[in-house]
């Protein structure tokens, strides 16, 4: 079959972004895609149920203003400082549309969220990878890399490590272009860069309700920035990028911080147990401020361990990529799920 000549050559060369696999059939312990093991509150589920009426024939509010207002109340900002997206992935795509012309440099430390590469390639930008140092501190050469856009995932995926907000504040003053702080996992961390939004007109902070708010299936993301920057970003969004259901679910979730705090506390306690258990099995595990950990055996490919766990219906994330084949990324599940994982890993390493 001949190749379609209308497809851009750059797209043909792309490897593409491959998210964690979704299990087929029941019985799996799913620790590979960083979902929250605990459900959203009853108020959120009721808000979703209430959407099943005649109004589904109508388009949603294109600016998701009820959601923006709930976020403004939750985070102490104004509606004009917030834009909603179909998950933070949608907001990242908007940023590429807004800022990146063919050849423009987009800078970020590696390893990190692999979708960044895909989005830059689609935009025709130039990817500039910088190496995280061994201690996962902010690389010294980030500003000097001269990115039209610079992205820092914080806490970083897949390491779970956290760059101090003071370092990000300095970086925002140093970079010539836009600085994006991707805070998908920040509710599991001890600090946030959100307060920097008021200080820098070249800064966007991204959040998602997929993780701490237990709404991965709803696809709700938020961008925070100064009003003029948010206005520009809104120019390139899809017309109706959130459904009526997503807006309702997100609005209810943002109004129920107590449930989120309780879930975050449970995840943090289990995360500590998981890290201790993995280190006891001989894994090197950096301190994580996310809802996952990176377990590494330097120089030892973890594909056989990943396959053995999968055979026991336990899914973790294996990255078939340079620099990560000796590691597994493991989502913090329930205590029972983590007990099962540690027992299965103990069996593997006893052989």
């Amino acid at each position: 079959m001949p190749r379609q000549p209308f497809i851009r050559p750059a797209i043909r060369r792309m490897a593409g972004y491959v998210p964690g696999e979704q299990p087929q059939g029941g019985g799996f312990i799913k620790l590979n895609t960083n979902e929250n093991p605990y459900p959203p509150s009853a108020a959120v589920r009721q808000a979703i149920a209430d959407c099943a009426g005649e109004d589904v024939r109508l388009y949603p509010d294109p600016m998701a203003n009820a959601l923006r207002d709930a976020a403004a109340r939750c985070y102490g900002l104004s509606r004009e400082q917030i834009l909603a997206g179909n998950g933070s992935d949608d907001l990242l795509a908007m940023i590429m549309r807004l800022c990146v012309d063919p050849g423009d440099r987009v800078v970020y430390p590696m390893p990190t969220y692999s979708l960044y590469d895909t989005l830059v390639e689609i935009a025709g930008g130039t990817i500039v990878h910088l190496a995280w140092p061994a201690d996962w501190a902010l690389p010294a050469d980030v500003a000097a890399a001269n990115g039209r856009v610079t992205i820092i995932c914080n806490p970083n995926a897949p390491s779970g490590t956290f760059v101090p907000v003071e370092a990000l504040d300095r970086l925002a003053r140093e970079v010539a272009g836009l600085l994006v702080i991707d805070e998908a996992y920040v509710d599991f961390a001890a600090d946030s860069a959100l307060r920097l939004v008021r200080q820098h007109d070249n800064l966007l902070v991204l959040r998602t309700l997929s993780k701490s708010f237990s709404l991965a299936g709803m696809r709700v993301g938020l961008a925070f920035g100064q009003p003029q920057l948010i206005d520009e970003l809104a120019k390139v969004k899809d017309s109706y990028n959130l459904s009526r259901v997503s807006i309702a679910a997100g609005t209810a979730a943002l109004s129920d911080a107590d449930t989120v705090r309780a879930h975050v506390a449970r995840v943090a306690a289990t995360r500590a147990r998981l890290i201790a258990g993995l280190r006891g099995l001989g894994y090197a595990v950096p301190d994580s401020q996310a809802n996952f950990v990176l377990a590494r055996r330097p120089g030892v490919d973890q594909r056989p361990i990943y396959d053995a766990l999968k055979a026991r219906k336990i899914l973790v994330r294996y990255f078939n990529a340079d620099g990560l084949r000796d590691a597994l990324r493991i989502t913090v599940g329930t205590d029972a799920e983590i007990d099962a994982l540690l027992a299965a890993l103990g069996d593997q390493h006893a052989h």
Side-chain angles (χ1 to χ4, degrees):
M1 179 177 177
R3 287 187 167 183
Q4 295 90 342
F6 45 81
I7 296 176
R8 290 164 51 197
I11 302 302
R12 291 193 189 282
R13 293 192 294 268
M14 283 172 50
Y17 169 63
V18 181
E21 62 187 304
Q22 299 294 323
Q24 302 299 312
F28 279 88
I29 295 175
K30 191 168 182 292
L31 305 175
N32 64 331
T33 49
N34 301 339
E35 294 139 324
N36 198 313
Y38 306 111
S41 69
V44 173
R45 298 197 296 273
Q46 186 60 53
I48 293 170
D50 290 345
C51 289
E54 294 183 2
D55 285 351
V56 294
R57 66 186 178 82
L58 302 173
Y59 284 114
D61 173 7
M63 292 301 295
N65 282 325
L67 176 66
R68 295 168 76 200
D69 289 342
R73 291 190 296 271
C74 183
Y75 297 112
L77 297 170
S78 68
R79 174 197 288 184
E80 291 73 25
Q81 293 172 296
I82 303 166
L83 188 68
N86 189 254
S88 51
D89 291 352
D90 180 32
L91 295 161
L92 287 162
M94 290 184 216
I95 289 166
M96 298 302 158
R97 285 182 223 143
L98 179 67
C99 299
V100 180
D101 283 325
D104 284 342
R105 293 162 67 86
V106 182
V107 176
Y108 38 91
M110 288 290 288
T112 194
Y113 185 26
S114 54
L115 181 63
Y116 299 156
D117 279 0
T118 299
L119 295 176
V120 179
E121 290 186 42
I122 290 170
T126 298
I127 297 168
V128 181
H129 287 163
L130 305 176
W132 287 107
D135 63 357
W136 298 95
L138 187 68
D141 52 351
V142 175
N146 195 31
R148 185 74 173 268
V149 176
T150 300
I151 307 173
I152 305 295
C153 185
N154 202 44
N156 184 52
S159 62
T161 50
F162 191 82
V163 173
V165 173
E166 293 73 23
L168 299 174
D169 186 17
R170 291 192 296 271
L171 182 61
R173 301 177 196 281
E174 294 169 354
V175 296
L178 177 69
L179 176 61
V180 178
I181 310 299
D182 184 352
E183 292 194 336
Y185 301 98
V186 80
D187 286 332
F188 302 100
D191 201 358
S192 163
L194 197 57
R195 62 182 178 273
L196 302 182
V197 163
R198 296 183 179 89
Q199 303 171 33
H200 302 286
D201 61 5
N202 66 332
L203 177 72
L204 283 172
V205 173
L206 305 186
R207 297 280 190 94
T208 178
L209 274 62
S210 294
K211 316 300 182 183
S212 57
F213 285 86
S214 305
L215 289 181
M218 286 289 104
R219 313 302 302 129
V220 180
L222 297 167
F224 302 88
Q226 293 194 7
Q228 185 178 9
L229 182 53
I230 293 296
D231 285 346
E232 296 298 321
L233 191 62
K235 291 178 180 178
V236 297
K237 81 173 190 67
D238 292 339
S239 302
Y240 302 101
N241 59 329
L242 272 77
S243 72
R244 301 179 72 92
V245 181
S246 296
I247 293 169
T251 300
L254 287 164
S255 303
D256 185 17
D258 288 346
T259 295
V260 174
R261 280 193 289 266
H263 288 173
V264 165
R266 293 178 73 182
V267 168
T270 306
R271 180 180 66 195
R273 290 185 56 245
L274 173 59
I275 291 172
L278 290 168
R279 288 173 177 169
L281 290 170
Y283 281 97
V285 186
D287 290 333
S288 173
Q289 293 201 41
N291 68 333
F292 58 85
V293 303
L294 188 70
R296 173 165 267 151
R297 285 186 177 273
V300 180
D301 193 327
Q302 292 299 290
R303 183 61 191 249
I305 302 298
Y306 161 81
D307 288 334
L309 290 173
K310 186 176 179 180
R312 294 176 67 158
K313 289 199 163 186
I314 301 174
L315 295 179
V316 298
R317 190 73 189 272
Y318 170 78
F319 298 93
N320 187 23
D322 292 344
L324 283 175
R325 292 187 181 90
D326 61 357
L328 298 171
R329 192 196 68 195
I330 303 168
T331 303
V332 180
T334 64
D335 284 323
E337 289 171 337
I338 295 309
D339 287 344
L341 167 82
L342 292 172
L345 283 173
D347 290 345
Q348 290 301 312
H349 292 295
H351 294 158

